[in-house]
Amino acid sequence: MSLVTMDRQDAPAAEAADECPRRMKGQQFLAELVRRSEVKAVFFVPTFLYPTLVELAKDPVKRVLCHSEKAAGYMADGYAQASGKPTIVIAQGGPGATNLYAGLVDAWQSHTPLLAVTPVLPDARYQGNSYQEAYVDFRPVTKYDAEVRSIDRMAEFFGKAYREMTTGAPRPVHLYLDGALEAAEAEFDFRYLDPRYFSYPAFRPRADDDLVEQAILELRSAKRPVMVCGRGAIVSGAWEEVTALAERLALPVTTTLNGKGSIDERHPLALGVTGSYRRPSTDAAIAEADLVLYVGGHQGGATTNLKRMPKPGVRIIHIDINPAQPGANYPNVLPLAGDARTVLRQMLELAGSGKRREYSEWVRKAQKDLQQWRESENAHLHGNMTPIRPEQLAARLVEACPRDTLFVADTGYVGTWAGVFMELPAGKNFLHCEGSLGWAFPAAMGAKAAAPERTVVAFTGDGGFFYHLAEIETAVRNGINVITVVLNNQAMAFQTHLLRSLWPDSRNLDKLSEFGLTNFAGVAREMGAWSVRVTDPQAIGKAISDAIDSNRPAVIDVVIDQAAVAPVAVMAGQGSRAPAASLRA
């Protein structure tokens, strides 16, 4: 199919539209809902909806019993991002629902659709000092929140939930469900469950043609234009269109952490990650640009380094599926409301298929700055230092893993190393959370459940891995063969570096951000996973190869240099980028 072919939504199957209502129990309806959604796994913490889970016993669906509701939410989040299909997370009410709420915050911020289901107390027990009677308001972290109290409207409410979470800007939804409805019988109208809403984006709207034409004219006349691609470009699957438009108009391309994969990072026009967690060489490109084309990003604080890049007033063209987003954080915006891939194809059609534009002095300067930065990092990337430098670890992982590996990175310290030093091809090959430390490991488990044929690598630190360490047992029990690489520096490194910079003479400063020595390889081995501890950078490749060959959940515990300061804007000048002599025990 040509890149400029417009997207069209296929009509639902004729048999679905003509389907007659079927009489069954509520548990049978819910099991049929899971089947029709074509998800490969659901995630839960007991003891809600057991009859439905039993109904799925003969289906090829993993019923993943988790150790915490928060981790279950993260797994569903990772599943949806990797597959493009929202799945279901199930939790008990009261304290269980409270824990699940925390697990939905990141999905809310990252615009990831998933369906959370928790029990609502029956009327006879309401306000009766019932066991675990606590009420959680899910509305702040969901796009749609409702109670399902009538079996006659059960199909209607679940249909609404899927419509809400996969249309427009996708986000989580939540249903309170009366558990007694599982055993009840009714006529269920499956026409409420339109199959187009089982994946996202459910629709791919076009932008206004006149505004698209204006955007092309402005891009051609700008002297220092730059493109910034966010998560929406990845969700839309727009990497071919991003690359084609960049080549057609000679646009340098940067991405947010969540937009990695919007263009091959070895492409001559690719500058790498921008924002607070960034390649330093991208700062000048954004700061000096006279026009910025945003593709599927919300111009948040991390992307713009708290509105420092670009400065308010710089001309912006903003593509977003949410019509209210362009201009929400910045003035002087030309809004292109529509699906990223569809709108980029409109732009390509108007840009024509003629000769590619020659690289300007502006592009050549950006390329030169990037090359100089790469050369400045040679010692860290290839120096074989011990303790291991995170730069070399990130680069060696990419070299050692198959090309279609999906990397799932935690926030903060490790997310920066992954974003800046993992040079990845175009495609959906990198997932990063919006700020929930500890997200990467369970999210990678969800991603692996969604894509068992792919190598999936969780990239996390010791601080992040400690959050959900118990889920190693979950991975082993369910045969979810994710590879987890732990950057073990015995510290919350961002905090360690800031503390040492601001209060260098304070007593017992280590008590505020550092951990005791933990051998995660030993812990993982005791829980049934394959594992290895790596202290030599030249052993990284073999560790990855052996982990893949083990065909088991695997943990690679890498001892890294605690003094290594990540290339984060807020940390600039507040610590050394030089190697430490040793890692303090």
Side-chain angles (χ1 to χ4, degrees):
M1 180 176 63
S2 169
L3 288 180
V4 296
T5 300
M6 293 298 111
D7 284 295
R8 294 175 299 179
Q9 289 297 321
D10 293 331
E15 57 268 24
D18 296 336
E19 188 173 9
C20 295
R22 294 164 53 190
R23 187 167 188 82
M24 59 179 63
K25 291 184 177 181
Q27 65 205 48
Q28 294 171 316
F29 164 76
L30 292 173
E32 182 64 17
L33 167 64
V34 173
R35 295 184 191 109
R36 293 188 180 212
S37 71
E38 296 182 346
V39 297
K40 300 173 184 176
V42 296
F43 306 92
F44 72 98
V45 176
T47 56
F48 183 50
L49 294 189
Y50 264 157
T52 296
L53 293 169
V54 170
E55 286 283 342
L56 291 168
K58 295 182 179 179
D59 288 271
V61 177
K62 284 185 182 291
R63 298 165 296 172
V64 183
L65 167 63
C66 307
H67 287 285
S68 79
E69 294 86 356
K70 188 177 181 183
Y74 290 165
M75 291 180 202
D77 186 349
Y79 185 101
Q81 290 197 46
S83 67
K85 289 180 172 290
T87 189
I88 299 175
V89 57
I90 302 164
Q92 185 59 281
T98 301
N99 294 337
L100 179 58
Y101 180 104
L104 300 185
V105 173
D106 213 272
W108 166 260
Q109 293 178 324
S110 67
H111 293 275
T112 303
L114 59 90
L115 171 57
V117 184
T118 62
V120 62
L121 283 176
D123 293 341
R125 291 170 55 199
Y126 176 67
Q127 291 290 319
N129 295 323
S130 298
Y131 180 62
Q132 294 185 332
E133 185 174 0
Y135 300 95
V136 181
D137 183 0
F138 281 90
R139 287 175 296 179
V141 295
T142 58
K143 190 178 177 183
Y144 178 74
D145 181 52
E147 293 185 3
V148 184
R149 291 184 175 272
S150 166
I151 190 143
D152 294 328
R153 300 187 67 191
M154 198 165 167
E156 174 190 345
F157 275 107
F158 275 89
K160 287 178 178 178
Y162 275 90
R163 281 168 169 78
E164 288 283 354
M165 68 177 157
T166 60
T167 56
R171 270 180 159 159
V173 298
H174 170 258
L175 292 177
Y176 270 118
L177 178 65
D178 185 344
L181 300 185
E182 284 188 287
E185 287 193 12
E187 296 281 335
F188 287 94
D189 190 341
F190 280 90
R191 289 174 296 182
Y192 281 113
L193 302 181
D194 189 326
R196 63 164 59 94
Y197 301 109
F198 287 142
S199 60
Y200 73 105
F203 295 103
R204 294 183 175 272
R206 291 167 54 93
D208 181 275
D209 287 328
D210 290 339
L211 294 180
V212 173
E213 184 175 4
Q214 182 180 341
I216 291 296
L217 291 174
E218 292 192 24
L219 284 165
R220 287 193 184 279
S221 63
K223 294 181 179 179
R224 299 182 304 279
V226 65
M227 190 188 321
V228 180
C229 297
R231 188 192 297 268
I234 300 300
V235 171
S236 184
W239 40 86
E240 290 185 9
E241 288 76 11
V242 166
T243 305
L245 187 65
E247 292 175 343
R248 189 76 49 82
L249 300 179
L251 287 172
V253 179
T254 73
T255 76
T256 67
L257 270 174
N258 297 308
K260 274 179 74 72
S262 299
I263 189 171
D264 189 314
E265 289 182 294
R266 283 290 182 175
H267 190 285
L269 289 168
L271 303 183
V273 172
T274 188
S276 299
Y277 300 177
R278 87 291 190 239
R279 289 181 173 175
S281 58
T282 63
D283 288 2
I286 303 298
E288 297 172 13
D290 62 354
L291 186 151
V292 181
L293 169 61
Y294 281 98
V295 181
H298 53 232
Q299 295 179 314
T303 299
T304 63
N305 194 20
L306 302 177
K307 293 190 178 181
R308 294 186 180 95
M309 302 183 303
K311 293 179 180 179
V314 171
R315 182 59 164 167
I316 287 171
I317 300 170
H318 192 163
I319 301 171
D320 202 282
I321 200 167
N322 178 2
Q325 190 59 57
N329 291 354
Y330 269 79
N332 197 23
V333 174
L334 176 66
L336 299 181
D339 168 69
R341 192 175 77 187
T342 301
V343 176
L344 288 170
R345 289 181 178 181
Q346 289 179 263
M347 296 176 78
L348 282 164
E349 194 170 61
L350 288 173
S353 58
K355 184 179 179 182
R356 293 179 180 177
R357 190 175 181 180
E358 295 294 328
Y359 288 176
S360 65
E361 183 61 31
W362 159 250
V363 173
R364 289 193 291 270
K365 179 182 181 300
Q367 292 173 325
K368 181 180 178 181
D369 290 346
L370 176 58
Q371 183 57 33
Q372 288 176 342
W373 171 78
R374 281 185 170 135
E375 291 172 359
S376 74
E377 292 292 343
N378 276 337
H380 291 144
L381 284 164
H382 308 293
N384 292 325
M385 302 170 188
T386 56
I388 296 170
R389 289 291 303 195
E391 300 95 327
Q392 186 164 10
L393 171 60
R396 285 285 178 90
L397 282 178
V398 175
E399 293 170 2
C401 287
R403 185 173 173 82
D404 69 340
T405 295
L406 177 59
F407 293 94
V408 183
D410 239 325
T411 190
Y413 188 74
V414 298
T416 308
W417 297 116
V420 172
F421 290 97
M422 285 183 174
E423 296 204 318
L424 302 177
K428 186 185 288 185
N429 45 44
F430 184 83
L431 306 180
H432 176 261
C433 63
E434 287 287 338
S436 299
L437 187 61
W439 174 90
F441 173 47
M445 289 176 57
K448 182 66 174 179
E453 73 285 355
R454 295 183 70 178
T455 298
V456 177
V457 175
F459 195 69
T460 186
D462 46 354
F465 198 40
F466 270 125
Y467 272 81
H468 302 293
L469 200 58
E471 304 301 343
I472 296 174
E473 188 276 335
T474 304
V476 171
R477 174 169 28 90
N478 288 278
I480 300 174
N481 297 336
V482 64
I483 298 170
T484 303
V485 177
V486 184
L487 283 70
N488 190 348
N489 57 9
Q490 298 172 229
M492 306 283 278
F494 270 171
Q495 289 71 22
T496 294
H497 298 152
L498 283 170
L499 288 166
R500 290 177 183 173
S501 174
L502 298 175
W503 296 281
D505 299 322
S506 177
R507 294 178 56 198
N508 299 322
L509 207 60
D510 59 305
K511 302 294 184 184
L512 302 183
S513 65
E514 298 180 38
F515 308 124
L517 179 63
T518 300
N519 186 327
F520 291 103
V523 174
R525 193 175 303 115
E526 288 297 316
M527 299 177 78
W530 182 93
S531 65
V532 66
R533 196 162 212 243
V534 177
T535 58
D536 181 351
Q538 299 189 66
I540 294 169
K542 185 177 187 304
I544 283 289
S545 178
D546 290 347
I548 294 172
D549 291 344
S550 75
N551 200 31
R552 291 158 57 193
V555 173
I556 302 174
D557 182 12
V558 185
V559 179
I560 66 165
D561 187 352
Q562 191 186 89
V565 176
V568 180
V570 72
M571 296 293 294
Q574 296 183 358
S576 172
R577 292 272 292 143
S582 63
L583 178 66
R584 185 165 65 249

